[in-house]
Amino acid sequence: MKKLRVFILGIASILSLFFYFTTSAQAQTDDSLQEVLDSGALTIGTSADNPPKEYIRMNGGQEEIVGFDIDVAQRIAEELDVDLEITNMKFDGLIPSVQEGEFDMALAGFNPTPEREEVVSFSDSYHDLPFVILTTRDKEDSYTSIESLAGQEVAAQKGSTQETILNDYIEEARPVALGKLPEMISEINAGTADAGVVGYLSARNYLDNYPNLTVADIDIEVSEEETAQTIAFPKESQALIAEVNQIIAEMQENGEMDELLEKNIEETQAGDTDSQNTLEVYGPLFLRGTATTIGVAFVCVIVGTLLGVFVAMLRLSSNKFINTIAFFYIQVLRGTPALLQVFIFYFGLSSILTIPAIHVWDINLARLIPGCIALAINSSAYVAEIIRSGINAVDSGQMEAGYSLGLNRRITMKEIILPQATRNILPALGNEFVSMIKETSLLSVIAVSELMFVADTVKAATYRTMESLFIAAIIYFMITWLVSWLVSLLEKRLEKSAKV
């Protein structure tokens, strides 16, 4: 009898917990719409490299994210009577960002695949997007069926519905997944990839700008569910999804959705008349990206150097435990890719800390701070080894000389060893600064608008891939050359002071 009571109490407790968490989850779900209304802003993520759905256009010297999806988002924001805040980032980072709750929703041509539905929720379809096979004119006669693509390299945008179509329907091809649509188009145009799966609307625009490209006479018969374009939301946003679905239904019913689509198709075909001179029109964007690159590199090197000095001292400690910790710290950071560390700090920090989404010069600090921390910590491991090797290069008699003068280890290190080691390590530290300038490009994956991110944005807006990349390359070269020159001047000054 006692066991029965314990069993019943256990079942009752489990049911109580179940109903508690269910009710809590429902309450959280019901709050999703209210949170947007209370904040007065609808935050969305997109990948602005896919005209006419979403792309960058310059307006009075300022970048502007425009397109069909953006117009749809704007209408939703207007119906909710809130402002629209847009973040541009790489396509394959959107779903993880939505999953983490960074955005209220994301629009970038999402299809609700089973894998995506496990981590995020989706709205009803607001548009159907057929797909085509894009290839070069010299291969047009060779590719007349899906079977003819067997063994050929066929590209698709990483994480997109096109990639799913490629893997499910063109199984015999050799798939190539690329991060951004312009990169994929460039590879097809150059012949590096034999063909690519592209949305029909995007293909139309690229055909106007790449005369060498054409649509292969291959039909991809997929279901309407696989061509449906939906909006991605965090899992707990059911109340917001219901409201958005109602707005979408009204727009489809009154024909507004079709009007917005046609308007953007016409505007994209007309093109950006100012883009004839890429540097003249997009110069302010490149300038801002350059300033961000220099600023991030400077902060990361300063913080990395200070942290590196501390780690180097631990590494030189006579205490085995402290020495071992410093050794593993350096080995782990030097033994893993910096890009991986950026992702770990970005998604890791956002899951345990709430960094306010404050925008400084159109840069979201919630993205910039984790990125800078990751690069600074990565740099500290290399700086620590540079400093350690520089200190070890100083004659051991210098330490003994300090002791003979009655100085302790800390003062001897500060007043005698480090000044001499600085002359030895300065060239290597200069190289680390140069490397950091180039490594800031890694932050483009988390939508920090540094120089490489700007180059990607401009090539997507203008279809001028090589021109945009050459401009970025020249700017990188000028920055690194200037830094190298300044470091060499400092080296000469230190040499003169050492002789005196």
Side-chain angles (χ1 to χ4, degrees), residues 317-344:
S317 172
S318 56
N319 186 305
K320 273 193 171 184
F321 178 73
I322 294 176
N323 186 291
T324 301
I325 291 176
F327 172 78
F328 277 107
Y329 173 89
I330 292 170
Q331 294 304 313
V332 168
L333 290 173
R334 293 177 68 188
T336 54
L339 179 60
L340 178 62
Q341 294 167 26
V342 168
F343 276 127
I344 288 174

Side-chain angles (χ1 to χ4, degrees), residues 146-147 149-152 154 163-175 197:
I146 291 178
E147 291 74 19
L149 295 173
Q152 306 300 305
V154 181
E163 186 181 18
T164 303
I165 298 296
L166 171 59
N167 293 329
D168 292 348
Y169 291 87
I170 316 177
E171 298 177 353
E172 300 301 320
R174 295 164 60 190
V197 184

Side-chain angles (χ1 to χ4, degrees), residues 424-485:
N424 297 332
I425 67 178
L426 188 59
L429 284 178
N431 289 336
E432 179 61 22
F433 193 10
V434 170
S435 297
M436 182 55 64
I437 289 170
K438 293 179 287 187
E439 286 182 2
T440 56
S441 62
L442 298 176
L443 299 189
S444 65
V445 300
I446 56 172
V448 174
S449 298
E450 47 68 58
L451 185 54
M452 197 62 214
F453 186 86
V454 167
D456 283 340
T457 297
V458 172
K459 72 183 183 183
T462 63
Y463 305 100
R464 297 166 183 257
T465 300
M466 292 308 298
E467 190 173 338
S468 302
L469 294 178
F470 270 124
I471 292 172
I474 291 169
I475 295 174
Y476 273 120
F477 172 76
M478 292 172 64
I479 298 172
T480 54
W481 180 84
L482 179 61
V483 169
S484 300
W485 178 69

Side-chain angles (χ1 to χ4, degrees), residues 27-43 82 101 104 234 236-237 239-240:
Q28 187 178 14
T29 298
D30 291 340
D31 288 342
S32 60
L33 175 60
Q34 193 60 46
E35 286 174 2
V36 172
L37 299 177
D38 291 342
S39 68
L42 180 67
T43 59
V82 295
D104 295 319
E236 65 276 6
S237 299
L240 179 59

Side-chain angles (χ1 to χ4, degrees), residues 152-158 163 166-167 174-178 184 187 192-195:
Q152 306 300 305
E153 288 197 349
V154 181
Q157 189 174 15
K158 187 188 301 180
E163 186 181 18
L166 171 59
N167 293 329
R174 295 164 60 190
V176 179
L178 297 170
M184 172 183 158
E187 293 223 11
T192 311
D194 298 304

